[in-house]
């Protein structure tokens, strides 16, 4: 039977069922231990980044090449006909998708990946659209949580920092809501979790609380998911009011479970003190490496009917 992700657009984490997420995690576990250099042999993937990226672009491109595929695309849209000659996104997508077997796209506008999927002749994979969704980050976050905790079921997770603009938080809470987890949301008031997402969690009967500090819940936590305040989405005066309110230091971690792990989609600014890197709780660099395996798993499933 064909795998359910074959030739599917990957736009929002809410498009996945629990069993599809589990399939991707199982495939990532296998690919991490048993490399498969031929799974994308002969396939070309377009990697088009209209917005800055380090981890997402490079881990996608590593994933493609380690599976035997090849990459076309750009890391800076400034030299494209869209930016320089007024070509529409729709026309650009029609043309680029005719050159490849899949189309990975990051774009600063919410909804851009969904729009691209309407004009692409091959599967579109959303590598982040504005402050909306970042589904492949969520796949690597789920894989990393599973790797560190041995399960996704019934965990207690604190999300800290910019929960308003943090697209990784939006996607991850939606995914973890399929696994009966409990959430604590810890953010400056101006950056709290959007109402529509809280309403969605309430409708699903998910247990969540809004808290003022990490210390008050530290001893309950399996995962702390830190995020940076997204400076690029503020003007300077607004930014200084919300930056650096929540900083994770070794002192804040007192009373944590031995099995606690700290995740962060990166880049970090100052919200995790450098000294935390040397504690057994830090797992954010391993998390970034897991981006290769999670994206390998996704590409292998989207581009192979049977694997
Ligand atoms: N985590 C993440 O999306 O990082 P980049 O912006 O560097 O891709």
């Amino acid at each position: 039977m064909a795998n359910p992700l074959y030739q599917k657009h990957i736009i929002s984490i809410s498009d996945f069922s629990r069993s599809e997420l589990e399939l991707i995690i199982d495939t990532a576990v296998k690919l991490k231990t048993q490399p498969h250099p031929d799974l994308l042999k002969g396939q070309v993937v377009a990697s088009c980044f209209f917005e800055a990226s380090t981890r997402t672009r490079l881990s996608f491109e590593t994933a493609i090449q380690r599976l035997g595929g090849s990459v076309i695309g750009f890391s800076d849209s400034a030299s494209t006909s869209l930016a320089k000659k007024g070509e529409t996104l729709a026309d650009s997508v029609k043309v680029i998708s005719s050159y490849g077997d899949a189309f990975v796209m990051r774009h600063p506008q919410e909804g851009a990946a969904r729009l691209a999927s309407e004009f692409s002749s091959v599967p579109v994979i959303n590598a982040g659209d504005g402050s909306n969704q970042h589904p492949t980050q969520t796949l690597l976050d789920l894989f990393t949580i599973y790797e560190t905790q041995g399960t996704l079921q019934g965990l207690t997770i604190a999300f800290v920092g910019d929960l308003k603009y943090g697209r990784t938080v939006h996607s991850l809470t939606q995914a973890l809501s399929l696994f009966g987890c409990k959430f604590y949301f810890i953010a400056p008031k101006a950056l709290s979790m959007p109402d529509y997402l809280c309403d969605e969690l309430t409708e699903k009967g998910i247990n969540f609380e809004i808290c003022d500090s990490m210390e008050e819940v530290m001893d309950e936590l399996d995962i702390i998911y830190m995020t940076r305040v997204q400076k690029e989405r503020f003007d300077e005066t607004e930014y200084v009011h919300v930056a650096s309110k929540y900083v994770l230091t070794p002192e804040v971690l007192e009373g944590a479970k031995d099995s606690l792990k700290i995740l962060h989609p990166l880049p970090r600014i100052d919200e995790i003190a450098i000294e935390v890197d040397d504690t057994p709780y830090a797992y954010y660099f391993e998390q970034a490496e897991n981006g290769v395996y999670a994206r390998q798993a996704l590409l292998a499933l989207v581009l192979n009917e049977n694997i």
Side-chain angles (χ1 to χ4, degrees):
M1 197 175 74
N3 87 69
L5 298 172
Y6 180 57
Q7 292 296 312
K8 209 174 151 174
H9 295 298
I10 307 299
I11 306 300
S12 166
I13 204 70
S14 55
D15 298 337
F16 290 98
S17 65
R18 177 177 166 141
S19 63
E20 287 169 345
L21 294 174
E22 287 170 337
L23 173 65
I24 295 166
I25 293 165
D26 286 348
T27 308
V29 169
K30 286 182 196 143
L31 288 170
K32 188 165 182 175
T33 47
Q34 284 179 293
H36 267 269
D38 293 334
L39 276 173
L40 294 191
K41 197 169 175 188
Q43 310 238 36
V44 176
V45 178
S47 163
C48 298
F49 280 70
F50 295 87
E51 191 189 51
S53 168
T54 299
R55 280 146 289 273
T56 309
R57 184 175 69 82
L58 294 178
S59 63
F60 257 118
E61 295 185 5
T62 302
I64 295 159
Q65 292 181 35
R66 288 219 180 123
L67 291 177
S70 49
V71 183
I72 57 168
F74 48 83
S75 57
D76 178 357
S77 63
S79 60
T80 62
S81 291
L82 184 142
K84 289 284 184 211
K85 302 176 189 170
E87 186 172 43
T88 62
L89 182 63
D91 282 0
S92 296
V93 169
K94 278 183 195 167
V95 173
I96 296 168
S97 66
S98 74
Y99 300 150
D101 298 290
F103 183 10
V104 175
M105 184 178 95
R106 171 172 287 189
H107 198 281
Q109 275 177 345
E110 291 81 11
R114 183 77 70 196
L115 180 77
S117 71
E118 288 166 19
F119 296 96
S120 174
S121 54
V122 296
V124 171
I125 299 179
N126 182 5
D129 61 327
S131 56
N132 184 34
Q133 283 273 328
H134 194 350
T136 65
Q137 177 70 41
T138 301
L139 298 177
L140 78 93
D141 292 341
L142 292 173
F143 172 46
T144 306
I145 294 169
Y146 178 80
E147 181 176 72
T148 62
Q149 307 294 324
T151 182
L152 294 174
Q153 189 66 40
L155 300 172
T156 302
I157 300 174
F159 292 91
V160 183
D162 182 351
L163 309 188
K164 181 176 179 184
Y165 296 108
R167 59 193 172 194
T168 63
V169 171
H170 304 166
S171 301
L172 186 55
T173 50
Q174 284 177 316
L176 286 170
S177 68
L178 299 173
F179 295 89
C181 294
K182 175 176 183 180
F183 305 137
Y184 289 113
F185 297 137
I186 304 168
K189 220 175 176 47
L191 297 180
S192 56
M193 200 67 176
D195 286 344
Y196 81 93
L197 281 167
C198 291
D199 292 345
E200 203 177 291
L201 295 174
T202 304
E203 271 167 34
K204 289 181 187 165
I206 306 301
N207 190 352
F208 72 90
E209 282 177 40
I210 294 163
C211 297
D212 288 332
S213 76
M214 291 184 263
E215 289 90 330
E216 65 192 85
V217 293
M218 186 57 70
D219 60 352
E220 291 180 48
L221 302 179
D222 300 301
I223 297 286
I224 304 179
Y225 195 92
M226 297 295 297
T227 62
R228 108 192 132 91
V229 174
Q230 305 209 359
K231 193 174 182 181
E232 66 273 29
R233 307 200 198 278
F234 290 90
D235 68 34
E236 195 62 37
T237 38
E238 273 184 313
Y239 178 72
V240 292
H241 282 109
V242 290
S244 311
K245 179 155 167 43
Y246 292 104
V247 177
L248 188 55
T249 62
E251 294 71 41
V252 174
L253 286 160
E254 268 174 36
K257 288 183 191 176
D258 290 346
S259 56
L260 170 78
K261 289 292 178 239
I262 303 161
L263 304 188
H264 190 310
L266 304 177
R268 112 176 106 178
I269 308 301
D270 58 1
E271 59 279 357
I272 302 178
I274 300 290
E275 303 81 67
V276 172
D277 296 1
D278 298 326
T279 71
Y281 306 118
Y283 210 75
Y284 24 94
F285 293 112
E286 290 88 343
Q287 177 191 5
E289 182 192 333
N290 278 344
V292 173
Y293 308 112
R295 291 179 172 119
Q296 279 186 328
L298 180 68
L299 287 162
L301 288 160
V302 168
L303 291 175
N304 290 279
E305 195 165 0
N306 300 295
I307 70 163

